[in-house]
Amino acid sequence: MMKIIVLGSAAGGGYPQWNCNCRNCDGLRRGAIRSRARTQSSIAISANGSDWLLVNASPDILAQIRATPALQPARAARDSGIAAVLLMDAQVDHTTGLMMLREGRPIPLYCSAPVWQDLQGGYPLAKVLGHYCGVQWRELAVARGEPCSFAVPQLEGIRFTAVPLDSKAPPYSPHREQPQPGDNIGLLAHDLLTGKKLFYAPGLGAVAPLTAAAMREADCLLVDGTFWTEDEMMAQGFSGKPAAAMGHLPQSGAGGMMEVLDGLPASRKILIHINNTNPILDEDSPQHAIMRGRGIELAYDGMEILL
Ligand code: MLT
Ligand code: MN
Ligand code: ZN
């Protein structure tokens, strides 16, 4: 059986965000709304409960590890349950935590070639880590725009598939304006014993045919819940950018994530990577009620999924 732990369920900035006084961040701090704090986006997947694939390395990783005893099996004087790390993209909120793993052994790092390039140049974490623990790149070969299947040695019985998808490379990426297949991926994890499949995609700008096919296969969907509306950041006066410019498909509206999820057979549909401005974070909001009414769940830190 495959076990998934949500280590962090917020988008970049976390919730509440340190400098933000939007309705949610301020309301949560003052205890004025029913809502939970969330750290930045990351999940862990295991087949045996002691060896884990860390999917995204959040800036909040140390707090996430402390909050998750399963990630420290204590088999030796220096130990970690994190067997390998996989990156969905090269964004700050998904990679910065790698720096906090520098005291350990060389990190087996699964990512695409464009992400690996960003980690050498635009945001050279892999180079810096070369002076500490070192990083062993395991290429997710999606450069031709095709999915790529692979196994992670310590996760016996799980077959993984990286699916290139439409989102955005980070602002510091040399190819920010020339999208490459593999700037962002979705991850399909297939438990060969139970036959169950998870599809994880915290950054998903548009549902292209390959993505739609992977989503149709999944029993459990853990997908981009960043924004409720396309103009959410602009309407609240925080950014001049619509959701699409940041590579995120909003939940509401025609062609939005809720509509996409409506048409899919998965028994669990869960939103993750929630931005702190998103009204669904307030559990008493009409938007939260609409989401629940459509059979959609909201990921929270510490959420466990068994498949
Ligand atoms: C994003 O996915 O757009 C990020 O959360 C942005 C960020 O990390 O600042
Ligand atoms: Mn993000
Ligand atoms: Zn906020």
Side-chain angles (χ1 to χ4, degrees):
M1 187 177 290
M2 176 162 61
K3 187 169 185 183
I4 298 119
I5 305 181
V6 173
L7 302 177
S9 50
Y15 174 53
Q17 180 175 309
W18 67 282
N19 64 343
C20 189
N21 288 299
C22 72
R23 186 183 176 279
N24 285 339
C25 290
D26 179 57
L28 177 65
R29 274 188 215 104
R30 291 191 296 109
I33 59 172
R34 204 156 58 88
S35 191
R36 295 187 190 217
R38 286 171 165 85
T39 61
Q40 294 167 86
S41 169
S42 173
I43 67 170
I45 305 177
S46 179
N48 62 9
S50 51
D51 297 295
W52 298 84
L53 175 67
L54 181 74
V55 185
N56 294 325
S58 157
D60 300 315
I61 190 168
L62 296 181
Q64 294 171 344
I65 291 172
R66 274 181 218 120
T68 314
L71 292 178
Q72 181 45 270
R75 297 162 295 199
R78 287 277 168 97
D79 196 16
S80 170
I82 299 171
V85 182
L86 182 144
L87 302 176
M88 314 301 286
D89 53 49
Q91 295 272 1
V92 168
D93 60 338
H94 288 160
T95 58
T96 304
L98 287 172
M99 296 298 278
M100 308 315 148
L101 303 180
R102 68 190 178 284
E103 297 92 353
R105 286 179 301 216
I107 304 170
L109 186 70
Y110 293 81
C111 66
S112 67
V115 168
W116 182 243
Q117 283 156 20
D118 285 347
L119 297 181
Q120 309 288 327
Y123 186 34
L125 293 184
K127 277 176 118 167
V128 175
L129 283 169
H131 298 274
Y132 297 88
C133 56
V135 178
Q136 300 165 336
W137 182 35
R138 310 267 191 269
E139 183 177 1
L140 302 177
V142 294
R144 286 198 199 84
E146 301 289 327
C148 150
S149 289
F150 60 101
V152 176
Q154 295 89 340
L155 280 83
E156 212 174 307
I158 303 181
R159 188 163 171 272
F160 293 95
T161 305
V163 181
L165 50 76
D166 292 350
S167 186
K168 273 283 197 187
Y172 42 80
S173 172
H175 47 268
R176 167 89 164 169
E177 302 307 331
Q178 296 95 40
Q180 323 258 317
D183 280 337
N184 303 82
I185 60 160
L187 183 70
L188 201 56
H190 181 187
D191 186 311
L192 300 171
L193 222 59
T194 64
K196 300 283 190 197
K197 293 178 183 172
L198 165 81
F199 182 71
Y200 175 59
L204 181 54
V207 183
L210 272 183
T211 310
M215 290 176 85
R216 249 192 315 275
E217 281 183 50
D219 300 281
C220 177
L221 292 158
L222 201 48
V223 294
D224 192 333
T226 312
F227 298 118
W228 178 256
T229 49
E230 182 64 25
D231 69 347
E232 188 167 309
M233 295 287 275
M234 296 148 85
Q236 297 191 35
F238 295 127
S239 158
K241 288 186 201 158
M246 292 183 262
H248 298 296
L249 178 68
Q251 284 107 58
S252 62
M257 187 62 85
M258 288 193 298
E259 229 178 72
V260 170
L261 294 178
D262 269 347
L264 295 170
S267 57
R268 294 191 72 180
K269 302 169 180 179
I270 309 171
L271 298 175
I272 193 165
H273 189 277
I274 320 296
N275 197 57
N276 59 73
T277 50
N278 192 327
I280 58 177
L281 286 169
D282 175 353
E283 292 169 28
D284 296 314
S285 69
Q287 293 88 345
H288 185 92
I290 292 169
M291 178 197 80
R292 294 306 302 245
R294 291 173 82 154
I296 301 171
E297 301 171 67
L298 186 57
Y300 52 87
D301 294 14
M303 182 182 207
E304 296 190 7
I305 301 164
L306 290 174
L307 280 177

